[in-house]
Amino acid sequence: LLLLPFAALLLYRYNATFHYFCKVAFFNCWIVAMATLLSPFASLRGRSVENMKLLRAAILPLKHFYGIKMQVWGSEHLNIKEPYVIVCNHQASLDLMGMVEVIPDRCVPIAKKELMYMGTVGWACWLSGIIFIDRHKREDAIDVISQTARTMRRENLRVLIFPEGTRNQDKTMLPFKRGAFHLAVQAQVPIFPMVISPYWDFFSSKDKKFTSGTCTIRILPKVETQGLTPKDVPELTETVRQAMADALAEMSASRRGDQRAEQAPLP
C-alpha cells in the first residue's frame, strides 16, 4: 500500500496514457467540485446571467494548473454595448478554458439539454442562465431560438454557440448548423466569429496526450445581420464558416511554423 502512491507518481511522470487520464479526471472533478461549492451562493440570486461570473472565476485557474498559456487576438471587437451572437469552433472540453478567457459580461452559452441533468453541474449551469436546447426535437429547438431572440433584445444578452454541434478535433471544421444564424437574424444582432487554435501540439483524446502548451484565440470582426431575413441564413452561415475555416488554417500553419523554428538546430 505504501508503494502505491510512488507507483502512481512514476506512472504519471513516465506513462503518457496514465498522465492523460489523470489530467482529464482532475478537469472533470474540478468542474463538479466548483459547481457543488458555488451552487448555494448562486441560488441566493436565483437563475441569473450574473451567476456566469462565478462559473468563469471557477474555471479560469485551470489554465495555470495545466500550464496552458492563453493568447487572445481581437478581443477589442467585443467591446460594444449591444447584444450579439458569438460562434466558436468546438474541439474538446478544454474549450471551456478558452470560453471563460474571453466571454464578456451578460453572455451565456447555448448547451445541449442533457447537460441540465448532470447533477450539480447542470444545476449550476441552469442558475447561471445557460440556455438549454433539445437537439432531437426540431420544433422545441426553434421555439427556444425564438424566445432567446426576444430575450437578447429585451435584456441586452449576448449568446455563445458552437455551430458545429459536436466536438471535432479534425483539421477542418464540420458543416455548421444554422440555429446560431437564425438566432442572430431574428434578433437582428451582429455575429462575432471566434476561432480557437488546434490543440494537437499539447492535447489529443485520440493519442491520449495532455501536456502544457499555448492556446491562441482569435476574435474576427463582426458580421452584420441588419436587414437580413431567414432566406439569407444559408449564405450567412457559409460566409461565417469560411471566414473561420480560413482563420483556423492560418493559425494552424503559423503554429506548425513556430514548432519547426523551435526544433531547428542552432547555427
Side-chain angles (χ1 to χ4, degrees), residues 49-50 53 56 84 102-107 156-158:
V49 65
E50 295 300 322
K53 294 177 181 178
R56 182 174 180 269
Y84 48 78
V102 300
I103 195 169
D105 289 341
R106 301 199 59 74
C107 182
N156 189 30
L157 188 70
R158 293 82 181 262

Side-chain angles (χ1 to χ4, degrees), residues 247-265:
L248 182 65
E250 181 183 335
M251 294 162 74
S252 299
S254 175
R255 198 83 198 123
R256 285 193 291 268
D258 291 344
Q259 282 190 325
R260 284 195 293 268
E262 291 173 1
Q263 295 170 0

